Amino acid sequence: MMTDAGDPTTDGRTAESVVLTSAPTWCDRCGADATAGPHPGCAAARVLEPPRYCGHCRRRMKVQVLPVGWSAVCVEHGERRG
């Protein structure tokens, strides 16, 4: 099991090299179950706002908004930019 981003996983890869293949199960804006149904309010807001929750583990992400874009960091799954 991984504890830090630099710790190796059981097969020798680090967290930076792990690619997620499963579909997100959590809404990245409100943190609710994304498989329960559509989130029209979240879909509309996502056009202009960065994600606030990790879609894979439901953790609240550290988000930085700049005039040229945004970055959101999950401690488990890394950074996303937009």
Side-chain angles (χ1 to χ4, degrees):
M1 177 169 203
M2 234 180 326
T3 56
D4 286 335
D7 290 346
T9 59
T10 57
D11 59 358
R13 298 177 296 164
T14 60
E16 291 83 14
S17 65
V18 174
V19 177
L20 298 172
T21 56
S22 63
T25 56
W26 304 104
C27 176
D28 62 0
R29 182 172 179 266
C30 68
D33 186 5
T35 60
H39 292 237
C42 293
R46 198 175 294 118
V47 173
L48 298 174
E49 296 180 10
R52 302 295 177 176
Y53 292 89
C54 178
H56 297 282
C57 66
R58 198 182 190 184
R59 285 191 171 124
R60 185 95 165 135
M61 294 193 292
K62 180 179 80 172
V63 178
Q64 183 176 17
V65 179
L66 302 169
V68 294
W70 54 264
S71 68
V73 180
C74 172
V75 296
E76 183 72 22
H77 298 105
E79 182 176 26
R80 292 175 53 189
R81 292 181 175 263

